[in-house]
Amino acid sequence: MGRFALRRIVYGIVVMFLVTVVVFVTTRLIGDPSKTLLPLTATSAERAHFKHVLGLDRPLPVQFFHYLAGVVHLDFGNSLLQSRPALGIVLERLPNTFELVGFGLALAVLLAIPLGVLAALKPGSLLDKFTVVISLSGLSVAQVWLGLLLILVFAAELKVLPSAGIGGFSHLILPGVTFGLPALGRLVMLTRSTMIDELNAQYVQTARAKGMPEWRVVGLHALRNASIPILTLAGWELIRALAGFSVVVETVFAWPGVGYLAFQSIQQSDVILLQAIVTVMGFLIIAINVILDVLFKGLDRRVQLA
Amino acid sequence: MSKHRLLVLGSALLVALGLVSYAAAGSKSAATRAAASGSITIALGGEPTTLDPLLKEDGNSDWVTNSIFDTLLARSTDGKKLFPKLAASMPKLINKTTWQVKLRSGIKFSDGEPMNADAVVFSINRIINPKYNSEQVEFVGTIKKAVKVNDSTVNILTKGPDPVLPSRLYWVRIVAPQATAKSDSASHPVGTGPYLFKEWARGDHITITANPNYWGSPKPSIQTITYKFVPEEGAQLAGLISGQYDLITSLLPDEVKRAPKAVITAGNEHPMLIPNAKPGSGITSDARVRQALNYAIDKNALASKLYDGYAVPDAGQTLSPSWFGYNPKVKAYPYNPAKAKALLKAAHATGKSITIATESGRWLNDKILVESVAQYWRAVGLKVTVNVEAFNTWLNQLFDSKHRPQVIFVSTDNPIYDADRTLSTYYESSGGGASNSDAQMKKWIDQARTETNVSKRLGLYHKAVAKANKQAYLVWLLNLKNVWGMSKQLQWQPRQDGFMYDNTMKLSG
């Protein structure tokens, strides 16, 4: 177990370095900050000076070396947009993204498992059909549209929930639901199909034949075996959210998280800030992967390091 | 009743009950909110990047800092007149490259520092310092340095004669030297303005409060002003309708009727197309073709259909009537498809292909505007292709004067109300966005930049504008109006430049 974890961590560090290289190269491709940040009517001399002071006119390898040396000391440089340390800005926003993603995913998981299990107990029943319809709509709906619809209904018409921004639980509800619904749909569908498979397995029939109470059969035996794919998907949902899928929801609801920050920095070619965002997120995703892998190993000793 | 129906009915009832109770709670909170006087919330399209007023080119920052800081000169709401603000009188030209400014005395920054020659010299030398790398440098790039003469007099030295300097002083906000030297000055601004900085909750809001000791007028009438950052137009409107916001900055023209109140002013934004007029650039190097491109477009229809009437045809010059250099004799090309066809025929261009490059989404309705223009051009017998490029690709094309597309879309405004920057960029052959090789035009614009005789300077711009219009160096489209959405309780007359001075806002009732 210890060796398994160690190998996962070393693997994670290698991936992290590769991420740093890719991030540096791609952020240099998104645009020229002197063109996006200065007014269109600025002269070419003014643009050249602007880039020079920021060191963006140096050869790429030189810039990369400086960047890498900085990253090792946790110095990602100053955001071009805000002229203050980029890492500080990302860390300032990170809790907000965690709050949104955490709430949305918790909502999805806590609803999806009971719904999926109940649906799987009686496939084809009214409850099953209802669950499937809700899930399919949840995972098919475009988040932008859903978000705006919820704003229109609950903020503009009913005036019961705030339309945007952060502050208190009421602000969390609409973005959380918008974020959680597609994940809920996917999780319900997976829980349902996995549970149907498990409940038809021979060990379940054996358990029932032995006279084990149904709640133990379902809750302990079948659900435990179904939990690996469900946990994998939940982990994937979390990674997906951190990898940028929270951008849409955060932008629609003006939720001051990392996704919205990334959106702004791409728009404005703030390459320094974007670099910091992607590196920090890359680090988090790798860390989550390592933790999940180790967790799976705990759930099922047969899991091998790929 | 079957089980099915019972279930459906039951859940419908539950939902309805929930909604009714929520609605009741909602209307109550809206009522108590309206009763609380003395505070408003303004929705900005984004979070200010900084509250250092000299560093960034960022409208969201300006909207906040303009109420915290003052400038030496102020401008009338319609933009036509400059008058002294922190300055005691209008600046005087004492020799070809020196403007002298006398300052009002007895004004203090909110931290107690005196607003005097030292503060003004500090502010001006700060914004032009190359190491400071201000994004606003294009507004002040002609200034060499500021020098203190005595406590209430400052000389501003320019690199060459600079007739635009007074307009530039409408831009430079005067900061407090000691407060600015502190490390947190970009997030804790200290000014002489009508409002005091209170707090900045990153990612959520900025709050400012009325300055009880404000030296100027009008005195602030609303005690607390909160800025929220709401990028999505739909969310801004929803918040305005529900009473969360009193003023929104991004109200779409087709949503004006849904806002509790909307105020419209003349604006400074001019969307247009740049046809490549240089020799060897295909049919657009022929003036007759470029004139035809102008005649072919029904600008009035674009203004009413695409912008719901919140735009007027550009008067064929990219300048708004209130800017220095506007030529009242030059008019928009009238919509005349027959003439356009005849001109194209005379230039042997009928049936030829033409390509327009544009981006999408930076400006209101930009893509649909360009596509409508393409349709007008097709109607007079051209084969038109529209290339919608990614924003950064489009930027590279715009700034690459050697390989610029045959026709490229751009929109421009001018916060200092002077023709210089607009014409130097889009009319003068060496400009970043110009596509002509007119040496005479270049000479006029270069001369005007340093001509200190006001009427001579105006004459040069009038000549340049008239010639550019005749040669159709651009395809002029519209001059957009500013549209603001407000709550019923807010009384405010917005400005043509879109600047926000919160001490001009009042609450009714």
Side-chain angles (χ1 to χ4, degrees):
Chain A
M1 189 70 194
R3 261 188 71 199
F4 179 84
L6 196 69
R7 281 170 71 188
R8 285 319 264 160
I9 290 167
V10 171
Y11 175 72
I13 292 172
V14 173
V15 175
M16 198 58 231
F17 176 76
L18 293 177
V19 165
T20 313
V21 177
V22 172
V23 166
F24 181 82
V25 174
T26 46
T27 48
R28 287 306 181 280
L29 293 178
I30 64 164
D32 177 350
S34 77
K35 287 178 183 158
T36 40
L37 291 177
L38 294 185
L40 290 178
T41 46
T43 62
S44 51
E46 286 161 359
R47 288 181 207 287
H49 170 80
F50 186 76
K51 275 175 85 168
H52 178 71
V53 174
L54 295 170
L56 294 171
D57 57 347
R58 295 173 299 178
L60 274 189
V62 177
Q63 288 190 46
F64 182 67
F65 178 76
H66 279 267
Y67 170 60
L68 210 58
V71 169
V72 172
H73 297 99
L74 289 181
D75 174 13
F76 288 79
N78 274 2
S79 151
L80 301 181
L81 270 178
Q82 304 191 19
S83 301
R84 57 194 188 109
L87 184 63
I89 300 174
V90 179
L91 296 181
E92 211 171 77
R93 299 293 191 97
L94 209 50
N96 295 338
T97 292
F98 283 151
E99 192 182 335
L100 173 66
V101 170
F103 175 71
L105 272 188
L107 203 70
V109 171
L110 291 181
L111 285 176
I113 292 176
L115 272 177
V117 170
L118 285 178
L121 284 178
K122 278 187 186 168
S125 66
L126 179 67
L127 179 74
D128 182 39
K129 282 177 183 154
F130 179 75
T131 310
V132 170
V133 168
I134 293 286
S135 311
L136 285 179
S137 359
L139 65 88
S140 330
V141 70
Q143 278 181 328
V144 187
W145 182 82
L146 178 65
L148 289 176
L149 187 77
L150 290 176
I151 290 177
L152 269 178
V153 174
F154 292 97
E157 296 302 326
L158 299 175
K159 306 183 186 189
V160 290
L161 290 170
S163 58
I166 190 169
F169 183 66
S170 63
H171 285 80
L172 191 55
I173 298 174
L174 293 187
V177 168
T178 310
F179 179 77
L181 210 58
L184 174 77
R186 281 186 289 268
L187 281 166
V188 168
M189 294 309 282
L190 183 79
T191 309
R192 178 181 169 275
S193 61
T194 318
M195 281 302 284
I196 288 175
D197 286 349
E198 293 296 335
L199 288 173
N200 288 328
Q202 287 188 343
Y203 73 90
V204 169
Q205 287 177 18
T206 312
R208 280 182 181 146
K210 283 199 306 188
M212 187 181 277
E214 187 65 12
W215 67 268
R216 281 197 66 146
V217 174
V218 175
L220 290 184
H221 291 256
L223 191 57
R224 185 186 159 119
N225 278 317
S227 65
I228 286 203
I230 297 172
L231 201 61
T232 309
L233 181 65
W236 178 81
E237 291 287 354
L238 178 63
I239 287 167
R240 193 172 176 273
L242 296 179
F245 282 84
S246 63
V247 172
V248 173
V249 180
E250 289 187 3
T251 307
V252 168
F253 288 95
W255 186 265
V258 182
Y260 179 36
L261 191 68
F263 169 76
Q264 289 170 310
S265 36
I266 292 172
Q267 237 183 2
Q268 307 269 356
S269 298
D270 189 342
V271 291
I272 308 288
L273 184 53
L274 192 64
Q275 226 161 239
I277 294 171
V278 182
T279 310
V280 169
M281 288 325 227
F283 175 78
L284 276 176
I285 288 166
I286 290 165
I288 291 168
N289 262 315
V290 170
I291 292 169
L292 281 178
D293 283 350
V294 174
L295 211 61
F296 288 156
K297 184 79 174 171
L299 274 176
D300 186 344
R301 312 282 304 182
R302 289 167 302 178
V303 169
Q304 295 290 315
L305 176 63
Chain B
M1 197 181 268
S2 75
K3 258 188 184 171
H4 284 74
R5 284 221 181 135
L6 210 69
L7 196 80
V8 171
L9 203 73
S11 41
L13 208 69
L14 259 175
V15 170
L17 261 174
L19 293 186
V20 167
S21 59
Y22 269 131
S27 58
K28 197 173 137 202
S29 72
T32 45
R33 205 197 143 280
S37 67
S39 72
I40 60 165
T41 302
I42 299 173
L44 302 179
E47 180 163 12
T49 49
T50 177
L51 291 182
D52 177 341
L54 301 176
L55 185 59
K56 298 287 171 184
E57 164 63 359
D58 173 6
N60 293 312
S61 292
D62 296 342
W63 271 327
V64 179
T65 54
N66 275 339
S67 295
I68 299 174
F69 295 92
D70 284 316
T71 45
L72 290 172
L73 302 182
R75 204 178 262 284
S76 56
T77 309
D78 62 7
K80 284 183 182 151
K81 237 187 90 197
L82 280 170
F83 50 89
K85 198 170 183 184
L86 287 175
S89 54
M90 288 302 284
K92 283 196 185 68
L93 196 59
I94 56 170
N95 65 49
K96 265 194 172 310
T97 55
T98 309
W99 287 86
Q100 189 165 76
V101 189
K102 301 261 184 213
L103 306 175
R104 282 178 204 267
S105 55
I107 299 173
K108 281 189 162 50
F109 288 98
S110 56
D111 68 342
E113 286 178 65
M115 197 298 296
N116 54 20
D118 291 318
V120 172
V121 166
F122 175 85
S123 303
I124 292 174
N125 289 342
R126 179 175 170 84
I127 194 171
I128 59 170
N129 182 351
K131 286 206 180 103
Y132 181 61
N133 214 18
S134 171
E135 291 172 15
Q136 302 170 18
V137 73
E138 75 149 322
F139 304 119
V140 292
T142 55
I143 299 175
K144 198 163 133 199
K145 63 174 172 180
V147 182
K148 175 180 172 176
V149 177
N150 59 46
D151 244 15
S152 63
T153 312
V154 172
N155 281 348
I156 300 170
L157 281 59
T158 56
K159 291 170 183 164
D162 182 14
V164 194
L165 191 97
S167 294
R168 305 189 192 289
L169 297 183
Y170 165 54
W171 186 268
V172 183
R173 295 150 190 107
I174 303 303
V175 299
Q178 284 168 35
T180 307
K182 288 182 191 155
S183 61
D184 65 346
S185 68
S187 53
H188 291 82
V190 171
T192 56
Y195 279 83
L196 305 172
F197 172 79
K198 189 176 166 213
E199 69 164 342
W200 183 355
R202 295 267 179 187
D204 188 49
H205 70 268
I206 289 174
T207 308
I208 59 175
T209 56
N211 179 357
N213 307 315
Y214 183 52
W215 64 273
S217 71
K219 306 279 181 213
S221 138
I222 300 168
Q223 176 61 29
T224 309
I225 294 177
T226 306
Y227 296 90
K228 285 272 192 181
F229 322 130
V230 190
E232 220 287 320
E233 289 101 354
Q236 283 206 3
L237 180 65
L240 180 69
I241 293 172
S242 71
Q244 288 177 67
Y245 311 135
D246 295 282
L247 176 60
I248 62 172
T249 50
S250 324
L251 179 61
L252 300 177
D254 54 349
E255 302 276 23
V256 164
K257 285 184 195 80
R258 298 190 57 208
K261 188 164 79 178
V263 182
I264 288 94
T265 66
N268 286 345
E269 194 69 50
H270 295 256
M272 61 183 177
L273 293 151
I274 310 168
N276 199 336
K278 288 180 185 166
S281 58
I283 54 169
T284 46
S285 59
D286 188 323
R288 290 170 296 184
V289 173
R290 299 192 303 269
Q291 287 160 352
L293 297 180
N294 275 286
Y295 279 122
I297 302 166
D298 186 349
K299 273 79 72 177
N300 285 307
L302 291 177
S304 63
K305 297 270 159 52
L306 292 186
Y307 296 89
D308 284 64
Y310 302 114
V312 289
D314 181 319
Q317 50 190 309
T318 335
L319 308 176
S320 292
S322 54
W323 301 0
F324 185 86
Y326 177 83
N327 186 340
K329 290 199 187 106
V330 171
K331 304 271 185 247
Y333 277 81
Y335 175 47
N336 191 340
K339 196 161 183 182
K341 279 182 195 163
L343 282 164
L344 287 176
K345 203 174 164 196
H348 306 292
T350 312
K352 293 274 172 63
S353 300
I354 196 164
T355 306
I356 315 176
T358 182
E359 48 68 66
S360 174
R362 158 98 183 227
W363 292 283
L364 181 62
N365 290 343
D366 43 17
K367 187 175 153 212
I368 185 166
L369 177 62
V370 171
E371 274 166 357
S372 310
V373 167
Q375 209 51 43
Y376 279 119
W377 288 355
R378 286 182 193 117
V380 293
L382 289 168
K383 288 200 182 78
V384 190
T385 314
V386 176
N387 290 335
V388 182
E389 307 285 3
F391 186 67
N392 284 309
T393 314
W394 170 86
L395 270 178
N396 289 334
Q397 294 180 342
L398 179 69
F399 291 127
D400 182 357
S401 58
K402 286 202 181 73
H403 310 99
R404 187 173 301 140
Q406 198 170 19
V407 180
I408 189 163
F409 170 83
V410 73
S411 185
T412 185
D413 73 346
N414 191 326
I416 59 173
Y417 292 82
D418 187 280
D420 177 41
R421 265 296 153 139
T422 307
L423 300 198
S424 323
T425 308
Y426 297 109
Y427 282 54
E428 183 172 358
S429 55
S430 54
S435 273
N436 66 65
S437 44
D438 190 326
Q440 192 186 35
M441 174 82 64
K442 178 169 165 50
K443 213 176 107 197
W444 286 335
I445 297 169
D446 280 340
Q447 268 176 22
R449 191 171 305 126
T450 54
E451 176 56 67
T452 46
N453 179 312
V454 175
S455 61
K456 268 194 197 160
R457 186 163 179 261
L458 194 60
L460 286 165
Y461 284 141
H462 282 180
K463 274 198 282 188
V465 162
K467 185 176 184 199
N469 183 274
K470 206 169 162 211
Q471 290 291 319
Y473 284 141
L474 297 168
V475 178
W476 294 274
L477 298 175
L478 299 169
N479 178 6
L480 305 188
K481 297 181 182 180
N482 299 329
V483 181
W484 303 81
M486 287 186 212
S487 65
K488 288 245 160 65
Q489 61 163 355
L490 181 64
Q491 306 291 319
W492 181 52
Q493 177 53 50
R495 303 169 53 84
Q496 178 169 338
D497 48 28
F499 280 13
M500 223 186 256
Y501 296 102
D502 294 355
N503 54 327
T504 59
M505 296 178 183
K506 279 195 180 82
L507 289 171
S508 64

